[in-house]
Amino acid sequence: MTGVTSDAVDRDATRALLAGGALTVRGRIGGASNAVLHCVVEDPSGASLPCVYKPVAGERPLWDFPDGTLAQREVAAYEVSEATGWGLVPATVLRDGPYGEGMCQLWIGPVPEDDAEDPDDDPGDSGDAADDATHDGTEGEEDEQLLALVEGDEPGPGWKAIGFADVGGGRTALLVHADDARLRRLAVLDAVLNNGDRKGGHLLLSGARLYAIDHGVTFHAEDRLRTLLWGWAGEPLPDEALDVLRGLSAALAEGAPLGTRLAELVTAAELDAVRARTAALLASGRHPAPGGEWPPIPWPPL
């Protein structure tokens, strides 16, 4: 099998296959703080897709997220992404699997060799706190850069400055991200989700499409936005983003489909906070800026 994008097959069929197909574990993805399993999901007709399965049993508790699970927040992030129409998060469902309930997400990018680690190891024996494994360990395709380190104090045409990074030997370089409409959409989505861990390794390119993964540390009721996508901080939101936020505000209303679905996945306080963040973005009409009460950039950044 090769990696696929969520455009490769019908979106509803993809979700149905992820949710109801037979889930077979092929290997374990190394380097993750929580259990991340490479799997194949297949239906009786023989249709199959590569996917990621993150069982709740393999999650380590987070002190600042005492309620809910990483898996629930991953699915909630997908639901909000779908409501925007931007399709930035691969198809994601909550389902039962070999190690119990967990998140199952369409794999994006090259599929790893089977049995990268022994899938029969205890899925809970996987490291420390947060969830930080990417699907393919890369930031994108070789012919397109989303992040870079540059000399000097200015990012240059086509780039947005993030901040200075220590590159060793007492030297610093300017860390920049592309001035890219896809990344800008993601910056807006992350502001709505209150993403506390937007790293470079969570950005995946598949053809012309940008996907974002690892949304377990989202939806906190307090401001926890930590991201590499600060390049538009304080700038006016594009008209497209404002239109999307208006639609999102309506979809989040009590009794509306998205609001009803999120109420099943996050706490009432977190749902109220999503609504408040969406309203605040519309009221300001600008990209948010770091608040100063929480480290604005995740560590490690990539």
Side-chain angles (χ1 to χ4, degrees), residues 24-30 36-39 53 112-119:
T24 301
V25 177
R26 291 292 182 85
R28 187 165 174 177
I29 307 303
V36 181
L37 304 177
H38 161 228
C39 300
Y53 164 52
E113 295 183 5
D114 290 349
D115 304 317
E117 293 185 15
D118 186 355

Side-chain angles (χ1 to χ4, degrees), residues 80 83-84 188-194 219 237 241-253 258 262 270-286 288:
V80 175
T84 66
V188 175
L189 176 64
D190 280 340
V192 171
L193 299 178
N194 198 17
F219 293 97
L237 290 165
L242 293 171
D243 288 342
V244 165
L245 289 168
R246 291 186 192 100
L248 195 58
S249 180
L252 286 165
L258 179 61
L262 290 189
E270 290 166 339
L271 179 52
D272 286 342
V274 175
R275 292 168 174 148
R277 286 191 298 271
T278 303
L281 287 167
L282 281 168
S284 72
R286 294 182 177 275

Side-chain angles (χ1 to χ4, degrees), residues 90-157:
T92 311
V93 301
L94 199 64
R95 61 162 293 165
D96 196 26
Y99 298 107
E101 184 178 67
M103 177 275 271
C104 186
Q105 184 175 78
L106 181 67
W107 185 279
I108 302 296
V111 175
E113 295 183 5
D114 290 349
D115 304 317
E117 293 185 15
D118 186 355
D120 293 324
D121 289 344
D122 178 3
D125 184 20
S126 53
D128 297 322
D131 187 14
D132 56 8
T134 68
H135 286 199
D136 64 1
T138 68
E139 296 156 20
E141 297 181 344
E142 294 183 359
D143 59 350
E144 185 174 5
Q145 278 189 294
L146 298 177
L147 300 166
L149 287 167
V150 299
E151 300 291 340
D153 297 333
E154 298 296 330

Side-chain angles (χ1 to χ4, degrees), residues 54-56 59 69-76 92-94 101-103 216 265:
K54 298 181 182 180
V56 172
E59 297 180 4
T69 64
L70 299 178
Q72 288 172 305
R73 290 190 288 275
E74 293 249 29
V75 174
T92 311
V93 301
L94 199 64
E101 184 178 67
M103 177 275 271
L265 299 168

Side-chain angles (χ1 to χ4, degrees), residues 2 14 18 20 42 44 55-56 64 98-99 109 123 131 178 194 244 252 268 293 298 302:
T2 59
T14 298
L18 290 173
E42 185 173 9
V56 172
D64 53 345
Y99 298 107
D131 187 14
N194 198 17
V244 165
L252 286 165
E293 297 181 0
L302 302 180

